[in-house]
Amino acid sequence: GIQVEQSPPDLILQEGANSTLRCNFSDSVNNLQWFHQNPWGQLINLFYIPSGTKQNGRLSATTVATERYSLLYISSSQTTDSGVYFCAAPNNDMRFGAGTRLTVKP
Amino acid sequence: DTEVTQTPKHLVMGMTNKKSLKCEQHMGHRAMYWYKQKAKKPPELMFVYSYEKLSINESVPSRFSPECPNSSLLNLHLHALQPEDSALYLCASSQGRSYEQYFGPGTRLTVT
């Protein structure tokens, strides 16, 4: 099955900083999702982005399907952005990356 | 409404107990999923139901038994679990396979 790799595994930021999270996938994907898992375990849908760029407030995502990667940008980070960010490819079944654990310090 | 609900939120059970986890969605989705997530790991797919038929079973032990009574409901029956089965169990649904998935809040299971 498809392999999904995320980097970096851990990221510590000061509040207000910007960051870029990366997701590489081993094969063509029909679609790609980004999630934020909060400390209570809830997986929150951030983007459903098979290709191109989408923006939602301080967050944006870009997927370059031909080069098999996706990027998640977080600008002006806040402490509430802390948690784990997953990308996943729902090609018939859902394969998750290992996640990026983000800590935003006040 | 993009809500998937799961009950109970927390469950503690002994190794000889039988219990069930429940999941419900009212988005008209035709695919539903069970995932298992251990601490500091990503979710791992256990079962997929598509149009109320089991289409993927990722080599899950038989002590986990899924059931899809109708297109809105998904159950996971638990029997004779082991302590290593303690985890967060997540349910998800989507319009169809390969479409955007929406997750419930999960059931945190502890097996004693």
Side-chain angles (χ1 to χ4, degrees):
Chain A
I2 192 168
Q3 303 298 314
V4 181
E5 294 183 356
Q6 291 186 244
S7 59
D10 295 281
L11 187 58
I12 300 174
L13 299 175
Q14 209 62 37
E15 199 167 28
N18 303 328
S19 61
T20 301
L21 283 58
R22 187 177 179 104
C23 175
N24 292 332
F25 32 92
S26 62
D27 204 347
S28 300
V29 296
N30 299 327
N31 295 298
L32 190 97
Q33 287 190 245
W34 282 98
F35 297 93
H36 174 213
Q37 189 165 41
N38 65 22
W40 298 272
Q42 174 77 59
L43 277 167
I44 299 163
N45 288 37
L46 297 178
F47 294 102
Y48 177 62
I49 182 167
S51 64
T53 297
K54 290 186 178 180
Q55 180 147 11
N56 185 1
R58 296 182 295 103
L59 274 60
S60 65
T62 295
T63 296
V64 183
T66 53
E67 297 187 25
R68 301 179 183 172
Y69 72 89
S70 184
L71 302 174
L72 178 69
Y73 305 96
I74 304 174
S75 64
S76 305
S77 58
Q78 301 175 356
T79 56
T80 51
D81 294 331
S82 296
V84 183
Y85 290 80
F86 290 107
C87 66
N91 276 24
N92 287 327
D93 54 26
M94 184 81 99
R95 298 295 177 187
F96 280 80
T100 292
R101 184 171 298 274
L102 175 65
T103 303
V104 181
K105 296 189 172 182
Chain B
D1 183 10
T2 56
E3 187 179 27
V4 177
T5 59
Q6 289 187 243
T7 55
K9 286 186 168 52
H10 301 274
L11 179 62
V12 179
M13 60 185 292
M15 289 190 283
T16 58
N17 292 156
K18 287 185 180 181
K19 297 285 185 184
S20 297
L21 310 184
K22 297 185 185 303
C23 174
E24 190 167 6
Q25 57 89 13
H26 294 289
M27 295 178 276
H29 289 172
R30 301 314 301 263
M32 296 187 76
Y33 312 79
W34 280 115
Y35 291 84
K36 175 182 178 179
Q37 187 178 20
K38 300 283 280 184
K40 298 188 185 299
K41 296 289 187 183
E44 293 182 346
L45 184 65
M46 299 174 72
F47 302 105
V48 179
Y49 273 86
S50 181
Y51 288 85
E52 299 156 50
K53 292 186 178 174
L54 184 63
S55 60
I56 289 182
N57 174 350
E58 295 273 328
S59 301
V60 177
S62 60
R63 57 186 183 266
F64 296 92
S65 175
E67 178 195 20
C68 189
N70 60 55
S71 60
S72 300
L73 293 173
L74 187 65
N75 298 321
L76 185 64
H77 302 298
L78 314 173
H79 173 56
L81 294 192
Q82 304 297 310
E84 59 264 30
D85 296 322
S86 298
L88 179 67
Y89 288 83
L90 294 161
C91 173
S93 72
S94 64
Q95 185 179 346
R97 301 271 296 281
S98 300
Y99 285 79
E100 184 176 11
Q101 292 189 21
Y102 296 87
F103 282 78
T107 294
R108 201 164 291 278
L109 174 68
T110 303
V111 181
T112 60

